[in-house]
């Protein structure tokens, strides 16, 4: 199962004693995820041959992508109400801009999150992500979900539809739009290229698949006793 980065000086034993909610050892596993990961997690669950009753998926709104300060409180609220139903809990976020606040919530609720700082790194895996950013530090990343919902989450979500003059201030320091594809779909390639053109960025395509998300989902299924077929 994916292991979160513990705050400096925190041991596994100390982290366990700080938990304020309890687990149900006989319950199913839960993935509480960003809505942007829903399709991928459902596909992985199917690939693993694990039923939705054994590996429950609940998603928070993908719009939190633009409001990272709300992620930790929303996760905290959900787990405070529901943690005791589940044997294992995987939070389908990286740190995702919470500045460590999400990890503090995980300690309280005996939960784990996906590795790395954000979805771009766990999809690409660290070596590939580092290669991309070292080659061009001004890389703006999108995934299948963000390509599909570019207008709602990026163009309208950042108010560029109402204030096009903000384009330079928001994206002027970027050079490339890097499409990290989970599935190589020609239509999505076209849409990603169109998005790059609208933002005035070079288009770069990388077919990365599910990356570290796949191993994290398989691990939580395995630890819960769901016996994934991998």
């Amino acid at each position: 199962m994916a292991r979160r980065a513990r705050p400096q000086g925190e041991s596994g034993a100390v982290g366990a004693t700080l938990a304020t909610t309890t687990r149900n050892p006989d319950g199913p596993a839960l993935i509480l995820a960003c809505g942007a990961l829903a399709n991928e997690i459902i596909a992985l669950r199917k690939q693993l041959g694990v039923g939705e009753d054994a590996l429950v998926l609940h998603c928070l709104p993908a719009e939190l992508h633009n409001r990272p300060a709300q992620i930790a409180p929303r996760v905290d609220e959900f787990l405070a109400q529901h943690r005791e139903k589940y044997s294992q809990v995987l939070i389908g976020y990286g740190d995702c801009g919470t500045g460590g606040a999400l990890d503090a919530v995980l300690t309280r609720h005996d939960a784990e999150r996906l590795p790395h700082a954000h979805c771009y790194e766990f999809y690409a895996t660290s070596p590939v992500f580092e290669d991309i950013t070292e080659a061009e530090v001004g890389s703006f990343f999108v995934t299948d979900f963000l390509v599909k919902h570019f207008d709602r989450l990026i163009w309208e979500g950042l108010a560029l539809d109402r204030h096009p003059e903000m384009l330079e201030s928001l994206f002027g320091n970027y050079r490339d739009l890097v499409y990290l594809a989970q599935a190589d779909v020609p239509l999505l390639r076209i849409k990603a290229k169109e998005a790059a053109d609208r933002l005035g960025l070079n288009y770069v395509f990388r077919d990365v698949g599910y990356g570290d998300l796949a191993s994290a989902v398989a691990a939580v299924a395995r630890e819960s006793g769901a016996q994934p077929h991998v």
Side-chain angles (χ1 to χ4, degrees), residues 196-219:
D197 291 343
R198 290 171 70 183
L199 297 177
L201 303 176
N202 299 323
Y203 172 62
V204 178
F205 174 79
R206 298 294 291 264
D207 184 8
V208 297
Y210 297 137
D212 291 332
L213 178 64
S215 55
V217 172

Side-chain angles (χ1 to χ4, degrees), residues 108-215:
R108 288 199 295 276
H109 297 293
D110 191 17
E112 309 286 350
R113 67 165 169 84
L114 293 169
H116 312 309
H118 40 61
C119 63
Y120 312 122
E121 186 171 1
F122 66 67
Y123 273 140
T125 71
S126 291
V128 173
F129 183 80
E130 290 171 5
D131 285 347
I132 294 170
T133 54
E134 286 180 7
E136 177 50 65
V137 67
S139 295
F140 178 73
F141 294 92
V142 294
T143 62
D144 285 5
F145 184 88
L146 289 176
V147 171
K148 291 174 185 176
H149 302 283
F150 176 83
D151 282 339
R152 177 168 63 89
L153 291 178
I154 297 176
W155 197 257
E156 296 170 10
L158 296 177
L160 291 170
D161 58 324
R162 302 184 300 280
H163 300 285
E165 71 278 6
M166 294 173 57
L167 183 63
E168 176 61 26
S169 63
L170 290 173
F171 290 93
N173 291 327
Y174 291 105
R175 177 181 173 85
D176 296 341
L177 180 145
V178 181
Y179 173 25
L180 301 173
Q182 285 64 73
D184 187 2
V185 178
L187 179 59
L188 291 183
R189 283 204 191 200
I190 294 170
K191 289 176 66 68
K193 177 62 167 63
E194 291 173 347
D197 291 343
R198 290 171 70 183
L199 297 177
L201 303 176
N202 299 323
Y203 172 62
V204 178
F205 174 79
R206 298 294 291 264
D207 184 8
V208 297
Y210 297 137
D212 291 332
L213 178 64
S215 55

Side-chain angles (χ1 to χ4, degrees), residues 20-24 30 32 58 60 72-86 89 105 108-109:
T20 58
T21 52
T22 58
R23 68 172 67 197
N24 175 3
L30 169 71
L32 177 61
H58 182 85
L60 297 178
R74 293 290 296 270
V75 170
D76 193 18
E77 179 183 18
F78 185 91
L79 292 181
Q81 296 180 32
H82 303 287
R83 175 65 182 93
E84 63 185 12
K85 301 175 185 177
Y86 302 102
V89 173
V105 170
R108 288 199 295 276
H109 297 293

Side-chain angles (χ1 to χ4, degrees), residues 6-117:
R6 296 186 181 277
Q8 187 174 7
E10 180 185 306
S11 68
V14 172
T17 62
L18 293 176
T20 58
T21 52
T22 58
R23 68 172 67 197
N24 175 3
D26 299 318
L30 169 71
I31 301 179
L32 177 61
C34 171
L37 306 185
N39 287 340
E40 287 73 23
I41 293 172
I42 290 170
L44 286 167
R45 187 171 59 186
K46 184 176 180 180
Q47 287 180 16
L48 293 168
V50 176
E52 59 186 78
D53 56 337
L55 187 56
V56 177
L57 172 63
H58 182 85
C59 290
L60 297 178
E63 284 78 5
L64 295 180
H65 175 87
N66 291 333
R67 301 174 180 85
Q70 296 181 19
I71 293 172
R74 293 290 296 270
V75 170
D76 193 18
E77 179 183 18
F78 185 91
L79 292 181
Q81 296 180 32
H82 303 287
R83 175 65 182 93
E84 63 185 12
K85 301 175 185 177
Y86 302 102
S87 58
Q88 305 285 335
V89 173
L90 174 65
I91 303 302
Y93 287 92
D95 178 72
C96 293
T98 69
L102 182 57
D103 283 342
V105 170
L106 303 185
T107 296
R108 288 199 295 276
H109 297 293
D110 191 17
E112 309 286 350
R113 67 165 169 84
L114 293 169
H116 312 309

